[in-house]
């Protein structure tokens, strides 16, 4: 019998000292042959290092090395003011651990930009993600999730894992993917909505970061059919403003985390992370009127925004308040799901909100109905048989705290943060009406 | 326009001082009427508090209060050595924020145990999860995830979100749920296996905690059809022992996190969190022989364990080494998927392992094939057309580091940790061949 002891991991942040000899592993990113020597860019887990090969000190031939080779090198750290890091690595030895197939790749991914259409970028994802900038996008996304979770755990939220396989028509109405579950009709969850509400009666505050599935046929830059939803739900709210205040704190905290942990990625992407002190908020009707007045646009749909209006509202708020974010509140009842609480005294509108980030909706949230009778009545008023929601309503029967919550579209949020118009750019392997691979 | 400022959250850990007046919100858990006064147990986000109602100091009637009522109370903190916390709350005021429907619930959930079958426990999940012990299970599970992620982020792993909707037969062979994706056959991902491997060429180290779907018809205490998979994959491993050493460090770190953050939950559940210094490891064939010899059992299936053998091996290792964990290595090639690396010089067995925790497999892992030609050959040898894995193999073509990884079944791990035999007990809303609701 052997004994397995814990792996001692090398420290994540490595600060090389001039004059020391180090061993690094990584993927060869680029080889630039000069006259009599060569620059090799090595992509390590942390960053890209400039290495120098020269017959004067490198005890191995350059031949046979290609971008995509996995290598372990030893080298001497030498001062080099012209390299961004302030040093370069003079290669002494190089062990090749794996080689790519010797052929030209279909896309060049080691220049400053990838010269390819979005389609090509997505078709060759296993290759194109290796580009410095593509990789940086998803390191920021990883940090964003870590930042969200850090805030939530510190503020008493319990992480939950709710089922994605649900019985037919779980959330009512809208388009879902359906399949056969051992002889029973089933569908893929569009959100953890009903489960997270039920669980406010158990944990008071819950969150989940998980896939959500929408069978919508929209083929736009804002839509994908599988996305990552950052969901939270909290009990004992006094009003839906408490949820907006929580989201303000959550985003401020997550962006601070990103700023601190992804400085190099943000520089590479030329992204600016906004500072948040407070977020302006205005009711939907007022926002509609404001856009119409400022941009001389007629109001064609008084019940909802179109994407252009969201963009204009974002511009307008940025002008007026310098905020990249704006809350829009009191959406029309007719446009919100059955669990949304109507505004007391004005049942035409709801205790709900969206958050717009740089002109695009990234969050929908609001207070929910906690009273069993009120929820049952609202279902009936919408022509839905409460029996179809028996288990959901049982949570109301046993008593739920006043509660509300929100969902943030992770890919959309990342896109707005990093300045991408198409949400596919911030999805590792996007799924849309035309794309199921890679 | 309003301005939304960040919510100041109350501190998660509250240390009451004797003599102070506090305001708390929570759900009434239990009301015990005595002669002339009453005990009220209040379930807050953090814990259960003993409150006392008396006409002498409580300015509200007891009538109308029921378990399941959401309340905000003010009370005086008074010393009470007979309460576990060392104090009780003398209720001064009580505001009822929501009331349950006045009826007897179908299951009593505020006694020491829930007197119900597993079926009933699961049928009434929105109610039964409110029991102190049920709730504690999932607070431990939440902490376990937080502990896993803390280790992974500190050790250079990037969090990824891979698609759960994949084109037909993504991982080959075994049972998958299939559905129609805009006119194309699609299925639900059984694991992020192929994606996480591809991404070692991008990020070197990646992890994902996400749902996985298996259409297996097994109806056992160990199987559910949707589970949460804690997946990691790492590049530049020297051998699969590096992965086992990483898992040892990962679990040690996560269990320390649970021990620190869930003391009260662990006490409630009577659970003992094992200390890990090192984990014993032995090859599959040796383990088989050892079980046969020690328990005088014939070897019926020389290629795989049955659940009973895993249990016996766990007992045997516990006796010999006092370890609750044991790694079994070198599983037969015939029993491992196509991406598994065969052992050099002995292609009958593989560079793979399982981790058993208290007699049940909770992890499968191993080193994968990183060379394009080797992987292509192995697919062909198994009668699989490499064209079906074009995008996966493209990652090998462009060069991948030597890599490997593992997947931990979160519900199984939680079950072993807390001493439950049935994995449904550690799943909020389990899905099995008979159950798609709640």
């Amino acid at each position: 019998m052997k004994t397995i002891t814990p792996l001692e991991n090398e420290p994540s942040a490595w600060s090389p000292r001039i004059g020391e000899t180090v061993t690094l592993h990584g993927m060869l990113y680029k080889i630039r042959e000069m006259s009599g020597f060569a620059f090799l860019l090595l992509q390590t887990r942390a960053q890209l290092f400039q290495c120098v090969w020269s017959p004067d000190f490198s005890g191995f031939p350059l031949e046979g090395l290609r971008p995509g080779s996995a290598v372990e090198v030893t080298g001497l750290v030498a001062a080099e003011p012209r390299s961004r890091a302030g040093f370069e690595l003079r290669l002494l030895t190089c062990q090749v651990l794996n080689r790519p197939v010797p052929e030209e790749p279909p896309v060049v991914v080691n220049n400053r930009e990838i010269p390819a259409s979005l389609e090509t970028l997505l078709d060759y994802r296993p290759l194109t993600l290796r580009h410095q900038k593509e990789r940086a996008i998803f390191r920021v996304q990883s940090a964003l999730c870590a930042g969200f979770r850090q805030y939530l755990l510190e503020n008493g939220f319990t992480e939950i894992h709710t089922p994605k396989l649900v019985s037919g028509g779980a959330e009512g109405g809208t388009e879902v993917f359906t399949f056969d579950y051992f002889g029973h009709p089933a569908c893929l969850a569009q959100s953890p909505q009903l489960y997270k509400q039920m669980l406010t009666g158990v944990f008071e505050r819950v969150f989940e970061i998980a896939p959500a599935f929408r069978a919508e046929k929209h083929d736009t830059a804002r839509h994908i059919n599988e996305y990552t939803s950052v969901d939270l739900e909290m009990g004992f709210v006094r009003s839906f403003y408490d949820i907006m205040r929580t989201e303000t704190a959550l985003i401020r905290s997550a962006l601070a985390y990103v700023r601190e942990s992804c400085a190099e990625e943000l520089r590479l992407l030329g992204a600016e992370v906004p500072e948040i002190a407070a977020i302006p908020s205005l009711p939907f009707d007022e926002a509609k009127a404001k856009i119409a007045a400022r941009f001389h646009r007629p109001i064609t749909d008084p019940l909802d925004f179109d994407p252009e209006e969201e963009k204009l509202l974002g511009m307008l708020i940025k002008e007026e308040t310098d905020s990249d974010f704006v809350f829009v509140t009191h959406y029309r009842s007719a446009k919100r799901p059955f669990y949304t609480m109507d505004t007391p005294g004005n049942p035409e509108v709801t205790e709900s909100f969206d958050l717009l980030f740089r002109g695009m909706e990234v969050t929908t949230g609001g207070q929910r109905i906690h009273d069993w009778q009120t929820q049952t009545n609202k279902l009936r008023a919408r022509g839905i048989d409460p029996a179809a929601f028996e288990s959901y309503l049982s949570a109301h029967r046993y008593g739920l705290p006043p509660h509300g919550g929100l969902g943030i579209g992770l890919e959309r949020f990342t896109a707005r943060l990093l300045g991408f118009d198409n949400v596919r750019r911030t999805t590792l392997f996007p799924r849309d009406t035309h794309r199921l691979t890679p």
Side-chain angles (χ1 to χ4, degrees), chain A:
Chain A
M1 219 181 308
K2 273 180 190 263
T3 300
I4 307 297
T5 53
L7 189 68
E8 295 297 331
N9 278 287
E10 65 266 50
S12 275
W14 172 65
S15 308
R17 281 179 312 238
I18 305 300
E20 76 174 331
T21 300
V22 296
T23 302
L24 287 179
H25 61 236
M27 308 293 283
L28 281 184
Y29 189 71
K30 187 165 191 148
I31 300 173
R32 204 155 50 212
E33 292 197 52
M34 315 300 278
S35 72
F37 71 103
F39 288 117
L40 281 74
L41 292 183
L42 180 69
Q43 175 150 286
T44 69
R45 192 163 78 223
Q47 63 194 95
L48 211 56
F49 284 111
Q50 178 173 307
C51 306
V52 183
W53 176 93
S54 159
D56 297 347
F57 48 75
S58 302
F60 61 94
L62 204 54
E63 285 77 54
L65 292 181
R66 299 171 56 89
S69 298
V71 296
E72 182 170 287
V73 299
T74 60
L76 180 76
V77 181
E80 174 47 67
R82 280 165 301 179
S83 121
R84 182 184 315 279
F87 70 89
E88 62 184 20
L89 203 64
R90 297 200 176 149
L91 295 177
L92 305 174
T93 69
C94 175
Q95 188 193 353
V96 178
L97 303 170
N98 192 28
R99 288 174 207 279
V101 173
E103 64 188 9
E104 282 310 307
V107 193
V108 175
V109 295
N110 57 6
N111 285 338
R112 193 169 292 271
E113 305 291 340
I114 302 181
S117 67
L118 179 62
E119 285 300 296
T120 304
L121 199 71
L122 300 180
D123 284 346
Y124 295 102
R125 237 7 183 171
L127 174 59
T128 55
L129 284 170
R130 299 183 186 198
H131 189 271
Q132 279 302 289
K133 290 190 183 175
E134 293 300 312
R135 179 170 105 141
I137 294 168
F138 298 97
R139 290 179 64 111
V140 169
Q141 192 167 74
S142 174
L144 204 47
C145 282
F148 284 139
R149 285 201 199 88
Q150 185 180 65
Y151 175 87
L152 293 166
L153 290 170
E154 279 174 5
N155 286 283
F157 286 80
T158 297
E159 182 176 2
I160 56 173
H161 301 279
T162 65
K164 306 307 159 203
L165 311 183
V166 293
S167 65
E171 213 175 311
T174 48
E175 290 139 323
V176 294
F177 292 108
T178 57
F179 66 104
D180 175 76
Y181 187 83
F182 302 112
H184 296 278
C187 61
L188 295 178
Q190 296 172 281
S191 85
Q193 181 64 35
L194 308 187
Y195 290 103
K196 66 179 181 165
Q197 282 188 250
M198 295 193 263
L199 293 173
T200 61
V202 178
F203 304 105
E204 187 184 315
R205 295 184 173 187
V206 295
F207 78 95
E208 179 169 21
I209 301 182
F213 308 95
R214 307 263 164 121
E216 298 168 329
K217 291 201 178 104
H218 301 306
D219 185 22
T220 79
R222 314 149 50 93
H223 288 91
I224 42 178
N225 296 96
E226 173 177 357
Y227 72 99
T228 304
S229 187
V230 179
D231 269 280
L232 68 84
E233 199 76 10
M234 53 198 285
F236 296 96
V237 296
R238 279 165 188 78
S239 80
F240 72 103
Y241 289 108
D242 274 354
I243 305 156
M244 291 158 66
R245 294 172 68 213
T246 296
E247 181 165 31
T248 306
L250 171 71
I251 291 177
R252 187 176 59 169
S253 179
L255 292 184
Y257 188 102
V258 168
R259 213 179 282 119
E260 196 168 312
S261 60
C262 293
E264 176 60 15
E265 286 80 1
L266 294 170
R267 189 199 59 74
L268 251 175
L269 296 166
E272 208 183 304
V273 177
E275 298 276 352
I276 298 178
I279 296 181
S281 157
L282 76 179
F284 174 77
D285 284 350
E286 191 180 319
K288 268 285 192 189
K290 226 174 153 87
I291 300 163
R294 167 74 174 72
F295 298 100
H296 312 292
R297 282 170 60 100
I299 294 176
T300 51
D301 179 359
L303 298 184
D304 217 343
F305 286 133
D306 60 38
E308 183 62 17
E309 283 175 311
E310 289 187 353
K311 203 185 254 180
L312 294 174
L313 180 63
M315 283 171 54
L316 191 159
I317 295 293
K318 181 74 180 169
E319 275 174 19
E320 281 189 20
T321 69
D322 200 37
S323 174
D324 288 349
F325 292 91
V326 55
F327 281 116
V328 179
T329 62
H330 297 96
Y331 280 81
R332 293 301 177 91
S333 201
K335 288 288 177 182
R336 291 283 172 157
F338 64 78
Y339 47 76
T340 312
M341 182 180 277
D342 292 334
T343 294
N346 185 6
E348 288 293 297
V349 301
T350 55
E351 300 288 275
S352 72
F353 64 91
D354 275 7
L355 177 66
L356 275 54
F357 180 16
R358 295 176 175 162
M360 193 187 289
E361 179 248 301
V362 293
T363 290
T364 293
Q367 187 165 357
R368 332 295 188 181
I369 299 169
H370 53 269
D371 176 65
W372 176 78
Q373 192 62 61
T374 311
Q375 181 63 83
T376 305
N377 292 348
K378 188 160 178 176
L379 281 166
R380 286 219 179 86
R382 294 200 168 193
I384 304 168
D385 181 2
F389 291 92
E390 190 192 341
S391 140
Y392 170 66
L393 288 171
S394 78
H396 299 70
R397 285 189 92 86
Y398 311 142
L400 277 178
H403 66 280
L406 57 85
I408 300 174
L410 179 64
E411 296 83 358
R412 273 202 194 178
F413 194 96
T414 314
R416 298 327 290 147
L417 180 64
L418 301 179
F420 293 106
D421 283 330
N422 198 313
V423 76
R424 290 162 184 74
R425 290 297 305 276
T426 52
T427 310
L428 281 170
F429 299 97
R431 295 295 178 250
D432 60 29
T433 52
H434 306 295
R435 183 174 292 280
L436 189 58
T437 54

